[in-house]
Structures are given as C-alpha cells and as structure tokens.
C-alpha cells in the first residue's frame, strides 16, 4: 500500500481573516445597473454623509437647479414611474413654497431631500448625498467620460485593505462553522476569498452565517455564496429593470469550485436592523427556500437596486431603477424588512444560534453514524453473497449498487475501498482484490492513487502488461494534477517496464 492511502486532511481549528469592511455601502444598494459594480459601490460611499471641510452655502440658484434635476431624473429613471413623478413634484412644491429655504448647508439639504423623497416612496435606497469638497465626482449611471484621462482620474480609489466583506471565519466547538460576512463584493479576487471560506465551511456539521453588519453589495456574489448552500439549481431571486422592461433571474449554480456545505448542513443566519439590501436578499433567499433559520432582528427594508448619478457640482442621488421579485412570494422585503423566525436582540443572536447549532450538529453526526453503519453492513453482506463472482474477478451488480450508495452518502470513500482491496491482497485473494480495486479505479477515473493501487494488485498477480497500463495511467494523471506521489508512480511504472523488457 502506498503512502497516499494513509494520508488524512486535517481541518484548521481557527481562521481569522484580516479585518476591514469592504461594503459598508452607505447608500446600501442591492445592485448597480450597467456601470461597473465596484465603482458603483464606491460611488455610494462618496454620496454618503462625509466628514467635510466647511463648504460654501447653497445658493437659491443651486438649490433650484438641484431640485429640478432630481425631479427630472426620478421621472426618467425611478423604477416606479408614477411614484417618481409624485416624489419629484413633492420636492418641487417644497421648493416653490419656500420650505427648503433654510437649508443652506449642503449636507443638511441632502438629508432633508432624502427624508422628503423617502416619505413619498418609502424607498430606503433613494438617497441624496453631498459630495466631499475636492473629492471625486461619481460617474453618471450608464455613462462614462469619452476622454480617457478624465475617466482615469474619476475612477474610484483603490480598494481598502480587507477581505471583501469576509470578516471572520471560525470553527466553533462542536464542529460548527461560523462566518461573519459584512458585505457582498464582486470580481475574481472576491470570489477566490468566497471560495476559500465556503470550502472551509463544507466540513462543518452546522453553519452560522452572521449578517448583522452586512450593508449589501452585488447580487452576483449573493448568488455565488448561496450556491454553496444548495445541491441543485434553485431560483433565488429576480431583478426587474425599468429600462428595457427586462427581468433578470438569479439561480444557484451546480458548478462551484471545491466542496460545499450543501443543503444538508443545518444553517442559521443572524440579522439585525443594520442588515440591508444584498444582506437582506441573502436572508430572504434562505427563508423563502426554507433552507435555514433566521435569528435576530427584522432587517432594514431595502430591496430596490439602482445606481448613483451626479447632480450639479456638489450633490449626487442614488435612484433605484429596479426591484427584486422573489420567485416564492412574488414580492420582496422593501419597506418591511425580513422578519426572522426567531426574533431577539441582535447582540443575543449568536449565542442562541450556537445553542441551536450545537444540538443540530450532534443530531446530524448521530444520523450520519447510523447511516454509515447501515451502508457498511449492506456492503459486507453483498461482499459475502458475491464471493463466488468476486473470485472470478467480477464485482457483482448487487455489490456495485450498495458500494455506489455508500459512496454517495459519504459512508465510504475511495480510500476505504482501496483498503478493502488491499485486505484481499494480503490474504492472497488476488482476484477479489483486483476486482474491487478495478471498480474503484473506474469509479474514480481521475484518481492517480486508485490506478496505482490497481497496478500494484495486477503486478502482484503477475499480470505485468495490465499493471504497466495502470501505473502509466497513475503517473500521467499525477503529472497533470501536480500530485506529490508522482515520483512513486514513476518508480512503479519503471520497475514493471524493466521487468517486461527483460522477458
């Protein structure tokens, strides 16, 4: 038996990802339209209230221009055209009636306009912000400067240090995986971090995902992370866009890198009043698909995606241009938030989740042990019943069936069948051992170790030509995969090749 048969992967007990919140998303958008998402999220932060130098007062002329432009943009772009017109008329009337006259500070005016617009639309994504004096101006939604120099100078600043919202990852006592996820970034680097985090959680007996400080982000990352929590393609959410009158569907993917917790792992999602936008979509997806249990507070209530547009020199407005449509409820969480199954203060939610996850993890382990014992007994019975066929080098259909079932349920692994095959070799039941090891190599055609083990059995039986083919397959696969045992596979191949050459 080669060394790989005894190799065991050990799970880390604690991983702390670097601190840093990537998607604090002051305007907390679920998504962004045609503009690049990273840029849009940064633009949202630029629009938000910022520490500022003392700006000059807003003149009546500037105020009039800003109100008129926002009113125009609402009619042109807001996802609900009638509400956009109503909101625009509302702030225009406030201006005409002199009710905005006292707001000379840009930030105070922006806050008042935000409050008034939300009073009409009840849309928490619809916000007006005052830009920081001297800071970069956001690019208009769906537009970019034609001058490359201007474009480069208006790009968002480099991403701050952090880990794309994946704030903390731990294995808690009882083999409970814990992920603190503060935002949903996008792009290849963010996906690499997401993949590593979700692969780590795949070995947990229960999973807790903490969204209590999640301000939102990109729906494609919500979709990507959710894909690790389902086993089959599942329709999570749709986004309707007013422009083009189109609806975009978001489904989980059955093809994500590495291992996944899947649907069987008990899941607990923590929420708070700060959970917003994309964080709410994630929680709503889990709740409506009955995938897990939400614990904590009702979320913020923002479900309409959109983008940022500059207004004049000192202001910008985030206008929702779309709305979420859940495939189960036909609606979304706009204005009402996502209500957890277990409501309690957010600061107590983790303790409650650990309590429930500990119980669920123990039950899952016990169930898995019982299933494994049953599956293995079925394999043993099939082995005994099929001894005559195995002695002829054939794996009986009944044995193949129970072996496959045990594999699919995780009761047996490739290495376990290898060990059974080697047990036959050690008791000089060569044909039985070859039959089992050949079945294993066929079941795991990309495994260098399975082919190498088959080669070892064939060599012991004096079937050198077949052994040479199996060793060559092991070597070639090992080279392609960068397997650490390639040198061993090469030695085995050379040894048999030399023996054949000497015949």
């Amino acid at each position: 038996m080669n060394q790989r048969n005894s190799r065991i992967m050990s799970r880390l007990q604690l991983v702390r990802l670097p601190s840093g919140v990537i998607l604090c998303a002051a305007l907390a958008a679920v998504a962004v339209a045609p503009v690049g998402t990273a840029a849009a999220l940064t633009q949202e932060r630029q629009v938000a209230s910022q520490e500022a130098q003392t700006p000059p007062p807003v003149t009546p002329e500037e105020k009039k221009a800003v109100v008129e432009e926002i009113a125009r943009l609402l009619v042109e772009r807001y996802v609900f055209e009638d509400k956009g017109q109503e909101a625009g008329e509302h702030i225009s009337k406030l201006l005409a009636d002199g009710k905005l006259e006292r707001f000379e500070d840009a930030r105070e005016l922006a806050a008042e306009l935000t409050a008034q617009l939300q009073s009409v639309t009840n849309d928490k994504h619809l916000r007006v912000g005052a830009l920081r004096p001297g800071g970069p101006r956001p690019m208009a939604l769906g537009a970019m400067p034609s001058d490359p120099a201007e474009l480069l100078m208006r790009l968002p600043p480099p991403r701050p240090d952090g880990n794309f919202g994946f704030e903390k990852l731990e294995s808690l006592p009882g083999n409970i995986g814990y992920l603190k996820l503060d935002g949903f970034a996008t792009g290849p680097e963010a996906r690499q971090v997401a993949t590593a985090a979700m692969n780590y959680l795949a070995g947990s007996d229960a999973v807790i995902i903490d969204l209590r400080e999640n301000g939102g982000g990109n729906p494609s990352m919500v979709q990507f992370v959710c894909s690790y929590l389902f086993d089959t393609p599942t329709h999570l959410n749709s986004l309707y866009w007013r422009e083009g009158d189109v609806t975009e569907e978001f489904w989980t993917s059955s093809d994500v890198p590495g291992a996944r917790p899947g649907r069987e792992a008990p899941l607990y999602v923590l929420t708070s009043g700060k959970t917003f936008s994309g964080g709410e979509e994630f929680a709503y997806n889990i709740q409506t698909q009955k995938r897990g249990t939400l614990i904590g507070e009702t979320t913020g209530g923002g479900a309409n995606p959109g983008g940022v547009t500059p207004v004049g020199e000192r202001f910008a407005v985030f206008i929702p241009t779309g709305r979420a449509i859940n495939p189960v409820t036909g609606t979304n969480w706009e204005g009402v938030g996502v209500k957890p199954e277990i409501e309690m203060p957010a600061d107590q939610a983790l303790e409650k989740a650990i309590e429930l996850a500990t119980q669920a993890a123990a039950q899952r382990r016990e169930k898995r042990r019982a299933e494994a014992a049953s599956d293995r007994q079925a394999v043993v019975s099939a082995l005994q019943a099929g001894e005559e066929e195995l002695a002829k080098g054939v794996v009986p259909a009944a044995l193949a069936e129970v072996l496959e079932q045990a594999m699919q349920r995780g009761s047996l692994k490739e290495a376990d069948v290898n060990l059974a095959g080697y047990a036959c070799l050690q008791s000089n039941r060569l044909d039985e051992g070859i039959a089992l090891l050949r079945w294993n190599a066929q079941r795991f055609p990309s495994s260098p170790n399975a082919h190498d083990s088959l080669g070892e059995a064939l060599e012991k039986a004096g079937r050198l030509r077949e052994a040479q083919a199996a060793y060559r397959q092991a070597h070639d696969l090992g080279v392609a995969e960068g397997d650490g045992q390639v040198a061993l596979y090469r030695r085995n191949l050379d040894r048999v090749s030399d023996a054949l050459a000497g015949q």
Side-chain angles (χ1 to χ4, degrees):
M1 186 185 307
N2 66 42
Q3 296 175 356
R4 184 162 176 170
N5 283 323
S6 61
R7 193 169 61 182
I8 299 174
M9 293 292 292
S10 61
R11 297 183 66 243
L12 297 176
Q13 291 304 303
L14 175 64
V15 175
R16 292 188 181 274
L17 300 177
S19 61
V21 178
I22 296 302
L23 301 180
C24 52
L27 295 187
V30 175
V32 66
V35 205
T37 302
L41 291 174
T42 304
Q43 288 171 359
E44 294 172 32
R45 291 193 290 271
Q46 294 169 1
V47 173
S49 300
Q50 304 180 43
E51 293 181 9
Q53 308 154 21
T54 303
V58 180
T59 65
E61 294 76 18
E62 182 183 13
K63 192 178 300 179
K64 180 175 183 295
V66 166
V67 170
E68 288 179 349
E69 178 64 4
I70 291 175
R72 183 189 71 80
L73 290 170
L74 287 170
V75 173
E76 180 183 295
R77 299 180 182 176
Y78 188 59
V79 59
F80 302 107
E81 185 176 356
D82 55 343
K83 275 294 180 182
Q85 182 165 346
E86 182 184 348
E89 291 174 350
H90 177 65
I91 59 173
S92 297
K93 187 174 188 306
L94 290 175
L95 178 71
D97 291 346
K99 294 183 179 179
L100 299 179
E101 186 175 342
R102 66 186 179 89
F103 298 101
E104 296 184 348
D105 180 87
R107 289 166 298 178
E108 291 180 0
L109 176 61
E112 178 63 15
L113 288 173
T114 296
Q116 292 296 336
L117 292 173
Q118 291 185 0
S119 73
V120 174
T121 63
N122 197 31
D123 190 326
K124 295 184 180 181
H125 275 109
L126 179 55
R127 296 179 65 94
V128 180
L131 303 179
R132 184 177 64 250
R137 296 178 68 243
M139 287 182 275
L141 183 66
M144 63 175 61
S146 57
D147 178 15
E150 181 184 356
L151 172 65
L152 291 172
M153 292 307 297
R154 288 176 62 183
L155 287 175
R159 187 179 297 280
D161 292 340
N163 227 4
F164 303 97
F166 290 81
E167 190 67 17
K168 189 176 183 181
L169 182 63
E170 289 185 90
S171 182
L172 302 176
N175 196 31
I176 298 166
Y178 170 79
L179 170 63
K180 186 174 188 292
L181 183 53
D182 289 354
F184 293 97
T186 189
E189 293 177 334
R191 288 206 169 204
Q192 289 174 6
V193 176
T195 296
M198 299 310 291
N199 288 175
Y200 179 79
L201 293 177
S204 304
D205 288 319
V207 174
I208 299 171
I209 297 181
D210 189 345
L211 304 179
R212 289 177 295 176
E213 295 185 59
N214 191 303
N218 189 277
S220 66
M221 181 57 84
V222 176
Q223 173 191 38
F224 186 70
V225 175
C226 282
S227 293
Y228 281 92
L229 302 170
F230 293 83
D231 298 319
T232 57
T234 302
H235 186 186
L236 298 170
N237 188 39
S238 293
L239 291 177
Y240 167 79
W241 301 102
R242 175 181 165 185
E243 183 179 4
D245 189 28
V246 296
T247 300
E248 181 181 9
E249 293 185 351
F250 291 83
W251 290 68
T252 62
S253 172
S254 58
D255 182 22
V256 288
R260 67 176 85 196
R263 186 154 193 139
E264 292 303 313
L267 175 65
Y268 302 88
V269 177
L270 313 186
T271 61
S272 76
K274 296 179 182 178
T275 308
F276 195 69
S277 196
E280 295 179 274
E281 189 215 320
F282 186 97
Y284 201 58
N285 293 344
I286 297 302
Q287 184 177 74
T288 55
Q289 293 295 334
K290 301 186 185 305
R291 172 58 189 89
T293 302
L294 272 54
I295 304 175
E297 300 168 348
T298 299
T299 62
N304 296 336
V308 177
T309 298
V311 179
E313 292 299 317
R314 292 202 283 171
F315 295 88
V317 59
F318 187 95
I319 297 181
T321 56
R323 60 186 173 88
I325 305 172
N326 182 272
V328 176
T329 65
T331 182
N332 58 45
W333 58 95
E334 180 65 41
V336 296
V338 183
K339 182 178 179 180
E341 287 82 14
I342 301 176
E343 291 189 271
M344 59 173 46
D347 59 2
Q348 300 174 21
L350 178 56
E351 182 179 355
K352 182 64 175 179
I354 292 174
E355 174 192 337
L356 296 177
T358 300
Q359 297 171 4
Q363 292 171 0
R364 187 183 183 206
R365 284 192 296 272
E366 183 56 38
K367 178 183 177 183
R368 205 161 51 234
R369 279 192 289 266
E371 286 179 348
S374 175
D375 289 342
R376 291 169 185 175
Q377 182 58 57
V379 170
V380 169
S381 297
L383 274 170
Q384 294 170 344
E387 282 182 357
E388 186 174 336
E389 287 183 77
L390 280 169
K392 297 176 183 178
V394 177
V395 173
L399 174 57
E401 182 180 347
V402 293
L403 278 172
E404 182 60 33
Q405 177 178 304
M407 289 284 182
Q408 291 183 359
R409 287 163 53 135
S411 301
L412 289 177
K413 295 182 171 56
E414 173 195 340
D416 300 325
V417 178
N418 248 17
L419 290 171
Y422 276 108
C424 291
L425 299 184
Q426 289 175 358
S427 59
N428 211 33
R429 293 150 60 193
L430 299 185
D431 289 330
E432 293 180 47
I434 290 171
L436 286 172
L437 294 171
R438 191 184 301 280
W439 182 91
N440 212 30
Q442 291 171 345
R443 175 63 173 75
F444 299 97
S446 299
S447 167
N449 186 59
H451 291 281
D452 182 73
S453 298
L454 174 58
E456 195 171 338
L458 291 165
E459 182 183 6
K460 186 170 184 179
R463 297 159 63 172
L464 299 187
R465 190 67 64 184
E466 294 176 75
Q468 182 187 46
Y471 282 143
R472 180 173 287 113
Q473 183 78 345
H475 175 264
D476 292 347
L477 286 170
V479 170
E481 296 180 8
D483 191 290
Q485 300 292 323
V486 167
L488 173 64
Y489 305 148
R490 181 78 250 180
R491 288 195 301 272
N492 290 341
L493 176 59
D494 290 344
R495 182 181 63 253
V496 172
S497 297
D498 290 343
L500 283 169
Q503 288 181 351

